[in-house]
Amino acid sequence: MILHPRPSPIAAAMYQLRDIGVDAIILHGPSGCCFRTARLLEIDGIRVFTSAMGENDFIFGAMDKLREVIEEVLEYLKKETPKSEKYKIGIVGTCASMIIGEDLESLVDDFDDIIIPVDIHSGLVDNTVGAIRAMDGALNAGLIEYSEYERQKKMLVCATDVEKKRGMAKNRYLKPTYEDDLEKFVNILKETDSKIKQGKDVKIACVLNAKKETAYLFSDPLLELNKHFNCINIANLDENIGFDKVRADAKNISEEFSKNGFKIDYITGGLDEYPITGEKAISYLKKINPDIVVVSGVPHALLIENLKEINPKVITVGISDGPRLYHPIKEVYNYGIIELDAHAKVLGKKNIVKSRFGEILSFMKF
């Protein structure tokens, strides 16, 4: 049982529906449910509605009300974004709809357009369950192939495993901290620059192991490091894996690296494969045997301690999102750097977004 706040399965379902390519999402619950996620997804171009359940609905049910909302949403879409094919609408459950036993599956045959029911609530232990149930709905609607469903489900299960063993869910309570080792690592970079100018060989490896669109932010510190040092770059930027949006995000980041004159030396997998791409990253790092390794995104998905076994002197740095991840990162990395609100900063973006660490590096004169 985890006592600190955790990501919501409802939010995870909504993000997964976004990746699947729905035209709109309807939350079947009170208008305030998952407000922050709904607002952020609208920045990303997804229209989010609610059935605005109230006290009477909690007693008498709100399925008729939900059908009316679906009809209203379809009218809105036909007016605002007309198209010839069927519209895809995700219907996401909430604690309120679950408690009173609303039957979201019964809506599927009531409309000519594609309705994707996701029977979910916040009482589930793992947020990834929400994403898996969204995949269930998409599979039943014929929107994805079974092979892709199985791959995605495997990634989501692996993501949960990473967080339970090495991340946000490894302890009953993780104390947040808003301090990190950014200043200490900047001093190490200054020392490194001095060594290089003295003719010493210092090998720096940059690893991007980021989750989906958060890669737009977590790529930035690596891009800035490349501007100052001759880095070897490893990244989960395979442009041929995942839903269309995930592939496009990988392509955008790769192209921006290329425009700046830098290349990705090793590709470990796709942006939705971050729970497992760490294994390939470690195998490449063992071959490179760097003096400094900077892992940005989900650094705790890498068994970085395996690298330390062959090179105890290697300096390791993990960059991630959220004040509760600093201590788990510090258990396996020499230094931890925290970027706040990564998701909020990248939604709606199609290019690399400035990070706190990257901003500092951009103004530094080594």
Side-chain angles (χ1 to χ4, degrees), residues 15 32-41 341-345 347:
Y15 278 115
C33 186
C34 252
F35 164 75
R36 177 170 167 78
T37 301
R39 184 177 64 180
L40 292 175
L41 280 172
D341 295 325
H343 234 139
K345 291 175 181 175
L347 287 175

Side-chain angles (χ1 to χ4, degrees), residues 102-118:
E102 299 283 77
D103 184 8
L104 302 186
E105 294 283 346
S106 65
L107 298 166
V108 172
D109 297 325
D110 290 356
F111 298 88
D112 292 330
D113 293 273
I114 299 171
I115 304 299
I116 309 165
V118 186

Side-chain angles (χ1 to χ4, degrees), residues 23 57 76 97 139 161 174 186 262 277 309 312-314 317:
D23 297 293
D57 301 318
Y76 171 87
S97 63
L139 180 67
D161 193 51
L174 283 173
V186 166
F262 311 119
T277 45
E309 288 178 2
K313 293 182 179 180
V314 64
V317 185

Side-chain angles (χ1 to χ4, degrees), residues 26-150:
I26 301 174
L27 276 169
H28 188 36
S31 58
C33 186
C34 252
F35 164 75
R36 177 170 167 78
T37 301
R39 184 177 64 180
L40 292 175
L41 280 172
E42 294 223 321
I43 296 173
D44 220 14
I46 301 297
R47 300 281 72 84
V48 182
F49 303 81
T50 80
S51 59
M53 288 178 70
E55 291 183 359
N56 285 342
D57 301 318
F58 303 153
I59 299 169
F60 299 109
M63 289 301 293
D64 289 339
K65 184 177 187 179
L66 177 57
R67 289 184 178 88
E68 291 175 4
V69 171
I70 294 172
E71 290 173 357
E72 188 172 342
V73 169
L74 285 169
E75 286 301 314
Y76 171 87
L77 292 173
K78 289 171 184 176
K79 179 180 177 182
E80 297 294 327
T81 57
K83 61 180 187 179
S84 56
E85 67 263 29
K86 293 181 178 181
Y87 290 96
K88 300 183 286 290
I89 300 178
I91 311 296
V92 180
T94 63
C95 297
S97 63
M98 178 273 298
I99 289 169
I100 64 174
E102 299 283 77
D103 184 8
L104 302 186
E105 294 283 346
S106 65
L107 298 166
V108 172
D109 297 325
D110 290 356
F111 298 88
D112 292 330
D113 293 273
I114 299 171
I115 304 299
I116 309 165
V118 186
D119 192 6
I120 199 70
H121 55 87
S122 287
L124 297 162
V125 175
D126 301 318
N127 66 309
T128 49
V129 175
I132 291 171
R133 291 196 183 174
M135 295 288 294
D136 290 338
L139 180 67
N140 292 334
L143 297 178
I144 57 174
E145 298 291 333
Y146 186 74
S147 58
E148 180 62 13
Y149 168 82
E150 284 292 302

Side-chain angles (χ1 to χ4, degrees), residues 139-166:
L139 180 67
N140 292 334
L143 297 178
I144 57 174
E145 298 291 333
Y146 186 74
S147 58
E148 180 62 13
Y149 168 82
E150 284 292 302
R151 188 191 70 84
Q152 293 267 353
K153 186 176 179 179
K154 177 186 175 183
M155 292 304 108
L156 291 162
V157 170
C158 288
T160 296
D161 193 51
V162 167
E163 292 306 319
K164 286 182 175 180
K165 290 180 178 177
R166 301 169 65 85

